[in-house]
Amino acid sequence: MTLAVRYTAPRTLDLAPTGTVAPGPGEVELAPAYVGICGTDLHIYHGDMDQRVHRPAVLGHEVSGRVVRTGPEAEGWKPGDAVTVMPLRWDGRCPACRAGHHHICRRLDFIGIDSPGAMQQRWIVPASTLVRLPASLALDRAALVEPTAVAVHDVRRAAVGAGETVVVVGGGPVGVLIALVARAAGADVRIVEVSPHRRRIADGLGLTSWDAADDVPERVRRWTAHAGADVAFEVSGAAGGVATAVDVLGVRGRLCMVAIHPRPREIDLHRFFWRELTLVGARLYDRSDFERAVGLVADGTVPADRLISQVVTLRQAPAAFEALESGGDVMKILVRCEDDVQGAAL
């Protein structure tokens, strides 16, 4: 018997036995080792995505693990291989796919949202979603490859270049990762964050953080000699964060919208007109982003171990969701899926 964490109703998770099946053609069976809990998982937990999620739903898409079995036609993989998963399946036929933008397919299957995810002891996925991990990379750190790939894609979409000034509004896990990736691209970066705990983490990574309660536009003016920032990333998901991200930009600045805003926000379009600003959206990633992320985590450019606040077992996962929801002093919580709960009484 294997076990899985399932979303069954708003703010309700259970731990349930799951059957095992052999991987089919082009599929592999994985033993997930670590699964990160992300903001999207919390949206599901709150019931905000019930129109999309089929209950009971196994959550999780930030994963590291090892291949257990391979199905027919799953060539190039063998038991024991260390992998992460790019959790996307696309139809290959829609206009986005035909234009080469598979990650924004009109009928995208985001594995872990639209289909069963990784928070279980055995998981069947298409071999095409696997991304190989170097043997030197610890599996707990490798669980942060997926959010790092998000950051790589965001920085690429915003075309951040060496010597540019960048403001990241929101210092949660993705915001800090964007700051680290932008710094690796040669940018001078500031993070704006309301949480003192998260600011301390950012500062401990050699980044510079500002309190969101400060006069951030004025601080940017002093920092940039009144030029304004070249790039801003909105990662907070708050109306105030949108306003700040617009206000800090200089002439022809670029605003990259990263956070999911479930409702329309007011935005100062006159400033876009007056300063010839550019707004770009950034959603998910492609394989090149994932491969770049593996390298950044493996070489320590992204010090993943310092972003992990806590590691819990499958049985402890419901309490971990509650801790994240409370907004306590946590950055990234990982769920360990290995055999410590195998066969435990339910």
Side-chain angles (χ1 to χ4, degrees):
M1 179 187 71
T2 62
L3 300 174
V5 174
R6 306 185 309 171
Y7 166 71
T8 59
R11 290 180 168 80
T12 305
L13 302 174
D14 71 8
L15 188 67
T18 59
T20 58
V21 297
E27 294 180 334
V28 298
E29 180 184 16
L30 299 184
Y34 297 91
V35 180
I37 303 173
C38 84
T40 302
D41 297 320
L42 285 175
H43 282 301
I44 296 171
Y45 176 68
H46 295 156
D48 296 336
M49 301 178 69
D50 280 358
Q51 76 285 358
R52 183 173 169 186
V53 174
H54 302 288
R55 295 179 287 178
V58 180
L59 304 184
H61 57 271
E62 301 179 357
V63 61
S64 63
R66 294 189 183 276
V67 174
V68 175
R69 289 188 289 175
T70 62
E73 303 169 26
E75 298 177 358
W77 302 101
K78 66 182 186 302
D81 284 344
V83 297
T84 184
V85 172
M86 187 176 77
L88 309 179
R89 281 187 288 217
W90 49 81
D91 68 9
R93 302 186 304 273
C94 75
C97 288
R98 292 200 303 270
H101 308 307
H102 301 98
H103 65 292
I104 47 177
C105 170
R106 287 186 179 180
R107 288 172 285 275
L108 185 70
D109 173 6
F110 192 111
I111 305 172
I113 301 176
D114 305 303
S115 57
M119 214 169 286
Q120 54 184 313
Q121 292 179 309
R122 294 292 183 270
W123 189 32
I124 303 294
V125 296
S128 61
T129 67
L130 300 185
V131 179
R132 195 177 301 277
L133 297 173
S136 60
L137 180 56
L139 290 180
D140 56 348
R141 302 181 186 190
L144 272 76
V145 166
E146 193 272 353
T148 300
V150 170
V152 170
H153 185 77
D154 298 340
V155 170
R156 182 162 62 88
R157 280 286 290 154
V160 173
E164 291 196 304
T165 51
V166 172
V167 176
V168 180
V169 182
V174 172
V176 169
L177 289 169
I178 288 171
L180 291 168
V181 174
R183 183 174 69 179
D188 191 4
V189 185
R190 301 293 184 270
I191 292 179
V192 178
E193 169 56 40
V194 66
S195 164
H197 175 71
R198 287 179 167 180
R199 292 200 304 273
R200 285 193 295 272
I201 290 176
D203 294 342
L205 295 172
L207 299 164
T208 300
S209 67
W210 292 336
D211 189 340
D214 294 344
D215 186 344
V216 174
E218 177 58 28
R219 295 196 72 159
V220 170
R221 282 190 287 272
R222 293 199 302 267
W223 169 45
T224 63
H226 295 272
D230 296 305
V231 181
F233 293 89
E234 204 308 281
V235 200
S236 73
V242 175
T244 297
V246 174
D247 288 346
V248 300
L249 288 171
V251 170
R252 290 202 168 183
R254 288 106 65 197
L255 170 57
C256 185
M257 188 59 63
V258 178
I260 298 172
H261 289 262
R263 62 184 63 87
R265 303 293 193 191
E266 289 189 3
I267 192 165
D268 187 351
L269 291 178
H270 182 268
R271 189 174 291 265
F272 272 78
F273 158 75
W274 198 252
R275 294 189 175 182
E276 293 196 351
L277 305 181
T278 299
L279 171 64
V280 297
R283 177 187 171 196
L284 300 176
Y285 30 63
D286 62 22
R287 181 164 286 272
S288 67
D289 298 321
F290 243 84
E291 291 169 348
R292 170 70 171 149
V294 169
L296 292 173
V297 175
D299 70 14
T301 300
V302 171
D305 57 316
R306 296 169 66 182
L307 297 177
I308 300 169
S309 303
Q310 188 179 3
V311 179
V312 302
T313 65
L314 279 172
R315 185 170 298 282
Q316 296 166 326
F321 273 77
E322 293 175 7
L324 284 168
E325 185 180 33
S326 70
D329 288 347
V330 294
M331 180 65 79
K332 176 61 69 175
I333 295 180
L334 303 184
V335 177
R336 188 176 67 243
C337 298
E338 295 171 317
D339 289 343
D340 58 311
V341 294
Q342 183 80 27
L346 293 174

